[in-house]
Amino acid sequence: MVAAYRGRASSAPDPVCSDPWALRLAGPEGEALSRRWDRHSPSMELWIGLRTRYIDDCVVRALDRGLRQVVILGAGLDTRAARLGREGVRFFEVDQPASQADKREKVSKLDGYPLDAATLVACDFERDDFVRALADAGFEQGIPAVLVWEGVIYYLAEEAARSTLRRLAAELDPRSLLIFDYLNSNMAKSSPRLRPEDRAMKGIIEELGEPMKFGIDDATPLMAESGYRFVRTVSFDELALQYTGTYERRRFFRFQSIALASASAEQILW
Ligand SMILES: C[S@@+](CC[C@H](N)C(=O)[O-])C[C@H]1O[C@@H](n2cnc3c(N)ncnc32)[C@H](O)[C@@H]1O
């Protein structure tokens, strides 16, 4: 479904992002799910497009500044390794074995997709030691990396989310940059104050067997407790204004944001 939205946002008349593989990876099943979700959340296509674009821009900027490792945590059908790869940069895709098998099968059917663009690292954040798994796959802990954790943190139990944040800060090179999106706790925990449309949208995700569990209302204390020194957050409305030049009060999509974080205050002056 996310890949379908990314593909739709990429092929819209004035696209905010560009993922030429996404629609084919999503297939008819993903596209049908996205159309079903549209009924409750007409802003989802724009949000996924903005999220893809902003994270792409951050990764490109980090690579321009010399970072040589990119880790996509909970990669799903992410295609950044194929789209943003360049000489001398290694991409690692960390995901559950079942999601990786599904992606491998899908990309193997795509003409021209660079199958070796990323090193696959199988891992369950709630059970496995993902830092060790990364190191075993050739990730270098002594040099900085950019870590993309897109569309994942709200599906984890709170302790798994917090311990992953702590480990990334403590065990990777402190100049590394983490980028992740998050939901507020009203959305994650089904507050009675949720709009009926948002409740219905959340219901579809739960029906698919991936309930949202963890929400963040203020990222700064969480990131401070987890060992970070640098935090910047950006909202859906801010990204829409930046990339489309518009602000619409009626978009009603104010539960989702993106955070950039680093354990060092020195390197990353975004
Ligand atoms: C909604 S998808 C997002 C995929 C991709 N990052 C994107 O934005 O298109 C969520 C991803 O998180 C992964 N995921 C969920 N829980 C996980 C866990 N406990 N350990 C590892 N990966 C997990 C799923 O396998 C899936 O690929």
Side-chain angles (χ1 to χ4, degrees), residues 197-263:
E197 294 84 349
D198 295 341
R199 190 180 303 283
M201 184 175 85
K202 195 169 147 61
I204 296 177
I205 291 286
E206 278 163 17
E207 229 179 79
L208 295 173
E210 265 202 309
M212 295 162 176
K213 299 178 191 165
F214 178 50
I216 301 171
D217 292 320
D218 182 354
T220 309
L222 169 69
M223 300 311 280
E225 284 159 22
S226 306
Y228 294 82
R229 282 290 302 278
F230 170 89
V231 187
R232 289 290 179 277
T233 61
V234 62
S235 70
F236 169 68
D237 282 325
E238 288 162 349
L239 289 174
L241 181 61
Q242 179 181 344
Y243 289 108
T244 71
T246 63
Y247 173 81
E248 284 178 28
R249 197 173 291 278
R250 290 183 51 77
R251 274 186 191 130
F252 292 124
F253 202 84
R254 307 215 158 79
F255 47 81
Q256 199 140 17
S257 308
I258 297 181
L260 302 182
S262 176

Side-chain angles (χ1 to χ4, degrees), residues 107-109 232:
V107 294
S108 67
K109 293 181 188 149
R232 289 290 179 277

Side-chain angles (χ1 to χ4, degrees), residues 120-135:
L120 301 191
V121 181
C123 163
D124 182 328
F125 294 120
E126 295 189 348
R127 285 203 316 256
D128 304 327
D129 184 335
F130 69 97
V131 177
R132 171 168 299 183
L134 269 169

Side-chain angles (χ1 to χ4, degrees), residues 35-167:
R35 298 284 171 204
R36 189 175 156 212
W37 211 356
D38 281 348
R39 277 183 258 143
H40 309 295
S41 187
S43 299
M44 189 53 105
E45 180 182 316
L46 179 59
W47 163 246
I48 298 288
L50 292 169
R51 173 173 113 175
T52 300
R53 169 66 181 279
Y54 181 65
I55 297 176
D56 280 1
D57 285 354
C58 291
V59 171
V60 168
R61 208 173 331 159
L63 298 184
D64 288 346
R65 290 175 181 206
L67 271 72
R68 288 289 163 263
Q69 304 187 102
V70 181
V71 182
I72 313 284
L73 296 165
L77 299 176
D78 186 290
T79 60
R80 290 193 174 89
R83 295 186 291 107
L84 308 181
R86 54 171 95 166
E87 188 73 28
V89 173
R90 280 198 76 181
F91 278 75
F92 298 86
E93 293 183 355
V94 181
D95 209 336
Q96 302 180 113
S99 299
Q100 289 188 328
D102 176 60
K103 179 176 183 187
R104 209 179 282 119
E105 194 202 325
K106 289 189 161 85
V107 294
S108 67
K109 293 181 188 149
L110 289 186
D111 242 6
Y113 191 93
L115 295 172
D116 55 357
T119 302
L120 301 191
V121 181
C123 163
D124 182 328
F125 294 120
E126 295 189 348
R127 285 203 316 256
D128 304 327
D129 184 335
F130 69 97
V131 177
R132 171 168 299 183
L134 269 169
D136 288 347
F139 177 81
E140 290 183 60
Q141 271 171 264
I143 61 170
V146 53
L147 297 115
V148 173
W149 208 15
E150 181 185 16
V152 185
I153 199 167
Y154 25 91
Y155 297 116
L156 302 183
E158 177 161 351
E159 192 37 45
R162 285 179 177 272
S163 80
T164 304
L165 287 172
R166 282 195 299 269
R167 294 202 61 200

